[in-house]
Amino acid sequence: PQAWRLDWSEAKTASSAGAYDVILFADAIYTEEVAVSLAECIDHTLRSCSEARVYGAAAHTRVGASDFCREMRLRGFVAEEIEVGCSAAAEQDAIRGIEGCDSREDALQLGPCIVASWRRGPAEEGSRDDGRRLELFFDQALG
């Protein structure tokens, strides 16, 4: 396996159409425009097979997160929220030992986040699609 860094603005002009089996992003959405750009990049570069996946994390109150979920849904992607459990509530000693930080606040962004995966649709029988629910959740979280 190999990993590459991809500049979103160059994705459509590069010969990267359908080049990636897995795309990862974290805390990448800050505006509505960026949400659309990221969804467009993913749609262009993710391989067109049912096994290809996108994994991403976004803070509950991130501007553009609902727009990203909407764009992915409109482009035919199926979302599934990934439960992360209580890992964000790690003990301070563990954080210091692993991250080299003195406090939980130094190690973690304040506020919870959602981790989800997306794949090209349609939704398979018996599988769930959290896309619309996530879109509504992010809309409501911004109040």
Side-chain angles (χ1 to χ4, degrees):
Q2 296 180 357
W4 293 275
R5 182 175 178 219
L6 177 65
D7 183 334
W8 304 351
S9 63
E10 297 175 6
K12 288 195 79 163
T13 59
S15 60
S16 57
Y20 300 100
D21 294 320
V22 176
I23 297 174
L24 307 173
F25 72 87
D27 203 23
I29 304 165
Y30 289 87
T31 67
E32 293 88 351
E33 293 80 18
V34 167
V36 172
S37 178
L38 178 57
E40 183 176 70
C41 176
I42 289 169
D43 192 23
H44 179 74
T45 58
L46 189 67
R47 183 160 289 153
S48 293
C49 66
S50 61
E51 294 82 23
R53 292 287 187 276
V54 177
Y55 297 94
H60 283 193
T61 56
R62 184 64 71 211
V63 172
S66 64
D67 299 276
F68 175 76
C69 292
R70 185 176 306 109
E71 281 293 318
M72 292 296 281
R73 185 174 50 80
L74 292 174
R75 293 170 184 275
F77 284 84
V78 175
E80 185 174 335
E81 183 175 359
I82 300 170
E83 295 298 326
V84 293
C86 61
S87 62
E91 294 289 331
Q92 185 171 338
D93 290 340
I95 292 170
R96 187 178 303 114
I98 296 169
E99 300 287 336
C101 299
D102 290 327
S103 72
R104 185 172 193 274
E105 290 71 29
D106 289 341
L108 301 171
Q109 175 184 339
L110 293 177
C113 70
I114 286 182
V115 178
S117 71
W118 287 264
R119 64 171 176 75
R120 294 190 183 277
E124 299 166 355
E125 188 174 329
S127 70
R128 69 182 209 228
D129 183 359
D130 295 328
R132 182 75 177 128
R133 184 183 59 77
L134 291 173
E135 179 184 333
L136 294 172
F137 173 84
F138 284 121
D139 271 339
Q140 293 171 352
L142 286 175

